[in-house]
Amino acid sequence: MGGAVIAALYVQPRGCYTDIEGVDPWDEARDARTYAGPYPVVAHPPCASWGRYAKVTPESRALGPLLGDDGGTFAAALASVERFGGVLEHPRDSKAWARYGLPVPSPAGGWTRGLGRPGWSCLVDQGHYGHAAQKPTWLYFVGQGEPPALVWGQSSPPPIGSGARRGNLESMSKIQRAATPRAFADVLIGLARLAGGHPCRTLDPDSDCPECQTLWAEMVDDMSRVGANVRVTLPADVAPWFDPDAFGASWVGDVYSVNGDSLDIINADSDVEPVPIEYCRPWKPGTFNRWTP
C-alpha cells in the first residue's frame, strides 16, 4: 500500500480502519501473524481465549475456548508492537497480560511502566471516545518516551435498550461490542505514529541508507560479546506457533557465544539456542530499546 504509515492488525474487513488514509488494514484473510513490518502498528488481536469465559482446562464447563488457544495471534501482535512500535488493545483483565508479563494498568488511570518489557500499559474506557458502552480496555504501548495522557476514569454513556438495568455492553450484539469507534481508532493511530525510531525502520545491513548501515554496525557490536543481554523477536515464519510451551515470538536471554552471523543465547530454561543475529536486539530491562527496527 503506497504511502501507508501505520499497519492496523486483526481488524474487521469493513471496519473503521479500511477508509483511513495512511493506514494499511490487515483483516483475517491477510493473517496478521505474518506481518513483517516496516510500519508501526495498531493491534487488535482476538481476545476470546484470554477472557473470563476461557476454559482453564479442556474439561472445564466454561463456555469459551481454551485459555490462550488463539493460534499465536496475541504473541505475534505483541512481537510486532515491540519490534516496530505502536499499540496493542485488549479488554480489561485480559489474562494475556499475566501470561506475557505485561505491566498491569492502574485502575485510577495513567500509564504504568513495568520491568522486563519495553512498553507502557493503561486502562481507558472506549465510552469516552464514542462507544455506546463503557467498554474498559487495556492498552500496551511501545515507543520513544512516555505516551500522552488519555481521558481517564469511568465513562457514562447514556443507557440503550435494557442498559439501565444490565449495562449497555450486555444489551449489544457481538458485532456492536467488538466495533472500534472512529474516535478511538484515531487515538490509537496517533499513539502508533508516536512510536518513533529510525525513519527508514529497516536497520538492514544491505540497506543503501548510510545511517542504517552505521546503526546496524553499532547494534551488532553492542550484542557481539559474551554476557550481553538481548531480546529475540521471531517473525511468524520462524516462531514455533504450534508449540504451546514455546517461548513464543519474543523473549530475553544472555549471549553465551558469538558464531559469525548467529548468537548462541541462553534462554530461561538455561538452554543455549542459536539465533540469527537479524532477529536479536540489545536489551536493557525497563527502558525503550533504541535499536527497535
Side-chain angles (χ1 to χ4, degrees):
M1 177 177 175
V5 294
I6 296 297
L9 309 183
Y10 308 99
V11 298
Q12 295 299 317
R14 295 182 179 86
C16 66
Y17 290 98
T18 58
D19 60 355
I20 300 178
E21 184 178 358
V23 174
D24 181 14
W26 285 64
D27 59 17
E28 184 177 2
R30 294 185 70 182
D31 191 357
R33 293 175 300 178
T34 66
Y35 180 72
Y39 308 116
V41 305
V42 173
H44 296 273
C47 60
S49 65
W50 300 105
R52 57 181 173 176
Y53 297 120
K55 298 177 181 178
V56 178
T57 65
E59 296 77 23
S60 170
R61 294 184 179 181
L63 299 177
L66 188 64
L67 179 64
D69 186 16
D70 68 350
T73 53
F74 189 92
L78 179 59
S80 293
V81 168
E82 293 192 336
R83 186 177 186 189
F84 304 110
V87 61
L88 182 154
E89 175 267 345
H90 238 217
R92 180 183 62 187
D93 298 328
S94 166
K95 294 180 174 64
W97 251 244
R99 173 72 65 86
Y100 290 95
L102 302 180
V104 177
S106 167
W111 292 95
T112 300
R113 195 73 181 271
L115 295 176
R117 312 274 341 183
W120 303 73
S121 292
C122 78
L123 166 65
V124 60
D125 269 14
Q126 293 192 38
H128 288 305
Y129 298 94
H131 202 283
Q134 290 181 335
K135 199 177 180 182
T137 300
W138 280 358
L139 302 181
Y140 177 67
F141 167 85
V142 176
Q144 299 280 12
E146 184 174 358
L150 304 180
V151 181
W152 309 124
Q154 283 192 350
S155 58
S156 301
I160 58 173
S162 60
R165 177 172 56 87
R166 304 172 62 214
N168 284 358
L169 199 62
E170 300 300 324
S171 304
M172 301 168 69
S173 70
K174 182 178 179 180
I175 294 177
Q176 289 173 322
R177 295 177 191 176
T180 299
R182 173 59 189 266
F184 193 60
D186 288 341
V187 168
L188 300 181
I189 292 168
L191 287 170
R193 286 179 173 148
L194 291 175
H198 179 52
C200 290
R201 305 200 73 84
T202 57
L203 284 182
D204 182 350
D206 299 321
S207 171
D208 294 330
C209 171
E211 185 175 354
C212 277
Q213 295 171 3
T214 300
L215 287 173
W216 178 266
E218 292 177 356
M219 183 194 72
V220 171
D221 184 64
D222 196 9
M223 293 188 296
S224 298
R225 52 187 174 82
V226 174
N229 201 218
V230 300
R231 174 170 287 283
V232 177
T233 301
L234 301 179
D237 58 348
V238 175
W241 305 113
F242 59 89
D243 184 355
D245 297 322
F247 284 92
S250 185
W251 50 277
V252 173
D254 297 323
V255 175
Y256 179 78
S257 61
V258 181
N259 291 309
D261 293 332
S262 295
L263 300 177
D264 292 333
I265 300 175
I266 305 173
N267 64 30
D269 286 338
S270 298
D271 297 326
V272 177
E273 297 187 19
V275 179
I277 203 165
E278 64 187 289
Y279 302 135
C280 303
R281 295 293 183 268
W283 175 252
K284 295 180 181 179
T287 63
F288 177 71
N289 184 0
R290 81 181 184 96
W291 299 115
T292 299

